Amino acid sequence: DNGQNYKSLSFLAEKMQIQSKLVVKHGCGAPLSSLPRELNENEEDSSFPSYCGADASKDPDCARKDFGSCGNACCLVELQLNQSPEKVHQALIDGLTPSNGFSYVTGGQPDPADDLRPYNITSPENFQFIAQGRHDAPKYHGINGDILNFAIYQTSRASVLRMFSVSRIHGALGDNGQNYKSLSLVAKTFNADMNVKYGCGMKSEVNLV
């Protein structure tokens, strides 16, 4: 983002005449962290198979309820995969299908390509591909569906799929475990365990700027 997200927030804080320093909780060029935290419940009702409804307590993938980690509820995880970044990207796109509540997002202006390899990015990671998706639920779908962001980078031993889900509608402080649940379904297509990095009902490390 060339520093634009932090710049926008710092400008807003200045206009609000906030005298204290901004407290970076995640992103903004800060390191990833994963410290546990216990959170409360949200509520909604549906039998949609990829949705955490009223029976969320019966689904272990809905147990990681997040509250406000990104302002709205969110979840960031990574998968270690023994596949090339190109194969990971293709498998990811193939799995984002409406039949399971997901969709692959493209189009708009601008409409940048997913393939980052021509840019030779090596820091902070050797990023190869990027993608965006959406998860729809009966009540919140289309423009109100949860936003999914993906980045694939290469290490000396494997490809890493970084996956992020954020509750889309304004005021979605809690997610009833939905963001983690959505990402867990994507992870199952790769038969891989998720390493929680931020949100997902975890505490964050505080970085003072």
Side-chain angles (χ1 to χ4, degrees):
D1 66 358
N2 201 31
Q4 184 59 55
N5 286 303
Y6 182 86
K7 171 71 173 178
S8 298
L9 298 178
S10 64
F11 179 80
L12 178 61
E14 180 181 347
K15 290 301 181 182
M16 295 173 65
Q17 298 184 338
I18 296 175
Q19 301 300 317
S20 60
K21 294 181 178 179
L22 294 181
V23 178
V24 175
K25 303 294 286 185
H26 178 69
C28 309
L32 296 177
S33 62
S34 55
L35 302 174
R37 159 165 83 139
E38 293 184 4
L39 294 167
N40 298 319
E41 288 192 66
N42 193 13
E43 63 275 331
E44 275 192 345
D45 187 12
S46 178
S47 59
F48 197 65
S50 66
Y51 182 65
C52 293
D55 293 331
S57 61
K58 300 178 182 179
D59 187 343
D61 287 336
C62 294
R64 289 184 173 269
K65 299 172 176 63
D66 191 71
F67 264 66
S69 289
C70 296
N72 273 13
C74 70
C75 184
L76 175 69
V77 305
E78 287 187 342
L79 309 181
Q80 299 277 342
L81 302 170
N82 293 318
Q83 302 177 43
S84 70
E86 188 172 14
K87 288 184 177 180
V88 172
H89 176 260
Q90 188 59 57
L92 171 67
I93 302 309
D94 290 345
L96 295 176
T97 61
S99 62
N100 55 16
F102 295 93
S103 57
Y104 171 46
V105 176
T106 60
Q109 290 295 331
D111 183 19
D114 288 0
D115 192 348
L116 301 175
R117 292 174 295 180
Y119 304 106
N120 297 314
I121 301 170
T122 59
S123 178
E125 305 293 352
N126 185 9
F127 288 109
Q128 302 286 296
F129 291 91
I130 194 168
Q132 189 170 85
R134 190 181 70 233
H135 176 260
D136 289 333
K139 187 173 182 180
Y140 301 113
H141 52 271
I143 193 172
N144 290 323
D146 294 343
I147 297 172
L148 310 175
N149 288 322
F150 305 95
I152 302 165
Y153 64 91
Q154 194 167 35
T155 68
S156 58
R157 295 181 297 175
S159 295
V160 178
L161 173 58
R162 180 174 292 171
M163 308 194 298
F164 175 78
S165 177
V166 62
S167 301
R168 168 66 179 83
I169 64 166
H170 63 275
L173 182 69
D175 65 358
N176 201 29
Q178 184 60 57
N179 287 300
Y180 182 90
K181 167 74 172 180
S182 299
L183 298 181
S184 71
L185 290 170
V186 178
K188 287 174 182 177
T189 66
F190 291 96
N191 194 27
D193 294 329
M194 297 197 300
N195 180 17
V196 175
K197 291 295 185 177
Y198 182 75
C200 320
M202 307 289 281
K203 285 184 178 179
S204 62
E205 182 179 88
V206 176
N207 297 286
L208 297 179
V209 177

